[in-house]
Each structure stands twice: as structure tokens, then as C-alpha cells.
């Protein structure tokens, strides 16, 4: 019996798991990705976690490894062309560098693309041929599946929905533009909006609890919003409105069957998804707006692992 390993490298967390041919998770481990410690430190963590996974899964043969990496990827060569969240990874051929140490077939894909394929394989979008996944995490990732296949774009840059402009004169973004969706509809976006509003008298309870503006986290904002804090509820309202604008753009452009919302923030989707849908319906064309299902991802924490594993499965690792 064979299995594959899926590696989900995020800006914050590194998650690795062994996965059966049917999409069943056999073992998983996670740790902070520690991207600030530099590229070599991250690669070492990946190798150690793969080793740990191999030792934990007895009596089965490893058939291949899929790597999901946040950034623009050239899957055919395994090169990270550009990554806003991984400094020092520009034009870095991770496949070549790891090939010596990992003598199994190795497949590299953009993490959000991998996540989308995973949701199509074993999650919310089983049997759906035209859908798109947004991952609301540290930033916003997305993967677009059209006619059952990933739409990468001619240069691999397609699906950067996180960089749709929702506020023309808004916050500047690492991509070189201003007011991108990612600056509002992500964990970093929430924290940034809280910083922006720090002088608001309503912000005082949050700031006090977090030990000042630099201690504020998306989790604290969500906890406060859940307990009725008006400042944090206001931040989620802003997030929902911007997300709705982005969703309407996707619907009008693609007329797809489903939009799957994943990533860390999807754990608190009850705080924003319903009002984001309302905003979307106000702005999108009626027929595609009513047709599209906007749903939370099903694979949750393990979506990235399963998606990366599926890259290896799909490429014929079994
Ligand atoms: Zn941007």
C-alpha cells in the first residue's frame, strides 16, 4: 500500500501530513514556519517533518511528495518565482535544492491552487467543475478551477484575487498597488484596520486587553467581536463589506458555481460571511449572484496538506 506526503508551507505555519490514495489523513504534524529565520531554516524544518511523517507511517511505501508554497510558482520546474510572504525566495528552485535529500517524485504548486484542488478532491467542491477558493489567512490566496482544471494564466499569475482593488486610495500593498482586498480581508488586514482605528475611543478595551496596539491579533479581535465589542464588530463589518465587493467582482467575471472560503479566518466565518454575501448580491448581476454558492471550506486545518498531497496523486505518484 502506498501513500503520499502533503506539505503546506504558510506565512505563519508549516503543516505536513501523510495521505492515503483516498484522501484519508494518516498522520499530521505542524509547527511555526519561522520564515523570518531564513530559507535554510525553513527547508530544514520541512525535511525534519517529512522524516517524522515517514517514521510514523509504518508498512506503507511513500509514492511522492507535494509541496504547497505561498507565491507565484512555475510547477514544471519547481521554481518559486516570487513570494510576498517568503523573503529571499525569489527565483528559487526548491525542487532542485530538495531533490538530493528527497529521492521521491516531488511536485510544487501554489498553496492556494493546491487548497482549491484539495477542496475539489475531498472537500466542499466535490463534483463541482467551476469554482474558486479564497484562503483568508495571513494574506489572501486563491485558486480558480474552470472546467475541472486549474486556471493558472499564461505566466502563472492568474487568480491573484487578493490583489483586486477594493479601495482606490486605500492602504499600500506589497504588490505595488493600493487598497488591495488582502489589506482588508485577512488576519493582517484586520490587525492593520485595528491599528488604523487605535485613537477611536471604542478601541480602548481591545488595546488594553492586548497590552497596546502592537499586541493586537486577529484572534483577539474575533474573540472581542464574539463578545459584543462594538469596535471589533465594526472591524468585521468593514472586512465583510470589502469581501462582498471582491466576491461580486469574481461572480461578474467568472459566473461560477461555487466560491469556497478557507484559511484561518474561515473558522470565524459566522462573524462576516452572511453580510459579505449581502454586499455581493447588491453589486453582482442577479442571475450569477443568486446561482453562486458561497460556502466555508470543509477540509479546514488540513485543507492545505490534502491539496498538496493531491498534486502528487494527480501527477501520477501512485
Ligand atoms: Zn496588492
Amino acid at each position: 500500500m502506498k501513500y503520499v506526503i502533503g506539505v503546506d508551507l504558510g506565512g505563519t505555519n508549516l503543516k505536513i501530513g501523510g495521505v492515503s490514495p483516498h484522501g484519508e489523513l494518516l498522520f499530521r504534524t505542524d509547527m511555526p514556519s519561522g520564515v523570518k529565520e531564513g530559507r535554510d531554516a525553513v527547508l530544514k524544518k520541512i525535511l525534519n517533518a517529512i522524516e517524522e511523517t515517514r517514521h510514523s507511517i509504518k508498512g506503507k511505501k511513500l509514492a511522492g511528495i507535494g509541496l504547497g508554497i505561498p507565491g507565484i510558482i512555475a510547477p514544471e520546474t519547481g521554481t518559486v518565482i516570487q513570494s510576498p510572504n517568503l523573503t529571499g525566495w525569489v527565483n528559487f528552485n526548491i525542487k532542485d535544492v530538495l531533490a538530493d535529500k528527497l529521492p521521491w517524485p516531488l511536485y510544487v504548486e501554489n498553496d492556494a491552487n493546491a487548497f482549491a484542488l484539495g477542496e475539489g478532491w475531498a472537500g466542499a467542491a466535490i463534483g463541482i467543475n467551476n469554482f474558486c477558493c479564497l484562503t483568508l489567512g495571513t494574506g489572501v490566496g486563491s485558486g480558480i478551477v474552470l472546467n475541472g482544471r486549474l486556471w493558472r494564466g499564461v505566466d502563472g499569475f492568474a487568480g491573484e484575487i487578493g490583489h483586486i482593488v477594493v479601495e482606490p486610495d486605500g492602504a499600500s500593498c506589497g504588490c505595488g498597488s493600493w487598497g488591495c482586498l488582502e489589506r482588508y480581508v485577512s488576519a493582517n488586514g484586520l490587525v492593520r484596520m485595528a491599528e488604523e482605528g487605535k485613537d477611536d475611543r471604542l478601541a480602548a478595551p481591545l488595546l488594553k486587553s492586548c497590552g497596546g496596539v502592537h499586541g493586537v491579533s486577529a484572534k483577539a479581535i474575533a474573540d472581542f467581536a464574539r463578545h459584543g465589542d462594538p469596535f471589533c464588530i465594526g472591524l468585521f463589518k468593514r472586512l465583510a463589506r470589502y469581501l462582498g465587493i471582491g466576491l461580486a467582482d469574481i461572480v461578474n467575471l467568472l459566473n461560477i458555481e461555487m466560491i469556497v472560503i478557507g484559511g484561518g479566518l474561515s473558522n470565524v466565518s459566522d462573524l462576516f460571511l452572511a453580510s459579505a454575501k449581502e454586499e455581493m448580491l447588491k453589486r453582482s448581476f442577479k442571475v450569477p449572484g443568486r446561482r453562486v454558492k458561497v460556502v466555508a471550506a470543509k477540509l479546514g486545518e488540513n485543507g492545505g496538506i490534502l491539496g498538496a498531497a493531491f498534486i502528487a496523486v494527480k501527477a501520477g505518484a501512485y
Side-chain angles (χ1 to χ4, degrees):
M1 166 100 167
K2 293 181 180 180
Y3 74 101
V4 291
I5 288 179
V7 177
D8 174 19
L9 174 60
T12 310
N13 293 307
L14 170 65
K15 300 171 196 166
I16 295 188
V19 179
S20 81
H22 313 294
E24 181 195 357
L25 199 60
L26 306 169
F27 170 83
R28 89 183 285 285
T29 179
D30 61 62
M31 63 212 73
S33 47
V35 293
K36 290 200 178 97
E37 294 158 37
R39 198 169 75 189
D40 291 346
V42 176
L43 293 180
K44 206 168 165 198
K45 281 188 186 186
I46 292 175
L47 290 170
N48 287 342
I50 287 174
E51 211 36 42
E52 189 191 343
T53 307
R54 285 185 54 230
H55 281 285
S56 306
I57 299 177
K58 307 257 184 256
K60 292 186 174 68
K61 196 168 167 274
L62 178 58
I65 300 169
L67 293 158
I69 294 180
I72 312 293
I73 309 295
E76 57 286 356
T77 58
T79 305
V80 181
I81 296 169
Q82 188 182 318
S83 173
N85 291 317
L86 301 172
T87 38
W89 292 59
V90 176
N91 288 324
F92 171 55
N93 192 317
I94 187 170
K95 195 170 159 178
D96 274 1
V97 170
L98 292 178
D100 281 355
K101 295 165 187 99
L102 301 173
W104 298 276
L106 211 56
Y107 308 93
V108 185
E109 183 55 88
N110 167 273
D111 61 343
N113 282 348
F115 184 82
L117 290 176
E119 285 292 326
W121 184 34
I126 293 176
I128 307 272
N129 275 325
N130 297 288
F131 68 97
C132 138
C133 274
L134 293 187
T135 54
L136 314 183
T138 315
V140 174
S142 74
I144 300 172
V145 174
L146 299 176
N147 297 325
R149 301 183 58 168
L150 269 180
W151 174 250
R152 286 201 179 83
V154 284
D155 295 307
F157 282 72
E160 288 298 330
I161 291 168
H163 300 278
I164 284 180
V165 174
V166 291
E167 189 67 82
D169 299 312
S172 68
C173 180
C175 75
S177 184
W178 296 265
C180 295
L181 186 68
E182 175 168 294
R183 301 295 279 141
Y184 303 86
V185 185
S186 63
N188 281 354
L190 263 183
V191 170
R192 194 195 59 74
M193 289 192 287
E195 283 171 2
E196 222 174 57
K198 67 180 187 324
D199 296 328
D200 185 334
R201 131 191 106 71
L202 291 176
L206 174 73
L207 297 182
K208 190 172 171 223
S209 155
C210 296
V213 71
H214 298 297
V216 172
S217 64
K219 190 181 176 308
I221 295 170
D223 288 345
F224 263 68
R226 205 174 286 299
H227 288 98
D229 177 82
F231 179 70
C232 294
I233 288 174
L235 294 177
F236 271 100
K237 270 194 184 147
R238 270 187 87 189
L239 178 148
R241 181 162 176 265
Y242 287 120
L243 177 59
I245 294 171
L247 293 178
D249 289 345
I250 298 169
V251 166
N252 285 348
L253 182 68
L254 296 175
N255 184 199
I256 45 181
E257 295 163 68
M258 184 180 273
I259 300 174
V260 183
I261 308 286
L265 275 186
S266 68
N267 297 326
V268 293
S269 63
D270 57 305
L271 291 173
F272 62 83
L273 201 51
S275 45
K277 281 189 216 173
E278 263 174 48
E279 186 70 32
M280 176 196 85
L281 282 169
K282 270 194 248 167
R283 293 170 182 266
S284 61
F285 277 90
K286 294 293 165 276
V287 171
R290 286 189 192 125
R291 159 190 286 276
V292 70
K293 293 187 185 77
V294 183
V295 299
K298 267 205 185 146
L299 300 177
E301 280 284 280
N302 300 322
I305 294 175
L306 285 157
F310 184 61
I311 301 297
V313 172
K314 205 169 160 260
Y318 285 120

